[in-house]
Amino acid sequence: MSWLWRMLLVVTVALVPGAFVLLVAYVASRTFWSRWRSAQVQSRTQGTPVSLRAIISTVELKELVREARAAL
């Protein structure tokens, strides 16, 4: 992500009401999507079923914070 795009995201989150909620939703969906893809690959190799509940239960707050820092 370019520095201009990052600065635009920071300004948007700081100035627009409700933008923080959108940022959290974006980070959470990005994290869940990456977890879902890795679980699908693991399921194909091991032959175990994948459930959304199992994926959500493994996500931690520190992981969401790490993803938010990576997004900005």
Side-chain angles (χ1 to χ4, degrees), residues 32-54:
F32 292 139
W33 184 249
S34 67
R35 284 290 189 112
W36 178 258
R37 283 184 279 152
S38 65
Q40 288 290 330
V41 169
Q42 186 177 9
S43 128
R44 288 186 192 125
T45 58
Q46 295 178 353
T48 57
V50 178
S51 70
L52 186 62
R53 184 177 185 183

Side-chain angles (χ1 to χ4, degrees), residues 13-71:
V13 168
L15 296 179
V16 176
F20 181 72
V21 175
L22 290 176
L23 178 68
V24 170
Y26 167 72
V27 169
S29 65
R30 183 174 153 175
T31 303
F32 292 139
W33 184 249
S34 67
R35 284 290 189 112
W36 178 258
R37 283 184 279 152
S38 65
Q40 288 290 330
V41 169
Q42 186 177 9
S43 128
R44 288 186 192 125
T45 58
Q46 295 178 353
T48 57
V50 178
S51 70
L52 186 62
R53 184 177 185 183
I55 293 171
I56 291 173
S57 68
T58 61
V59 174
E60 297 177 356
L61 181 62
K62 65 181 177 182
E63 196 171 331
L64 290 177
V65 170
R66 191 177 323 128
E67 285 287 328
R69 286 183 179 170

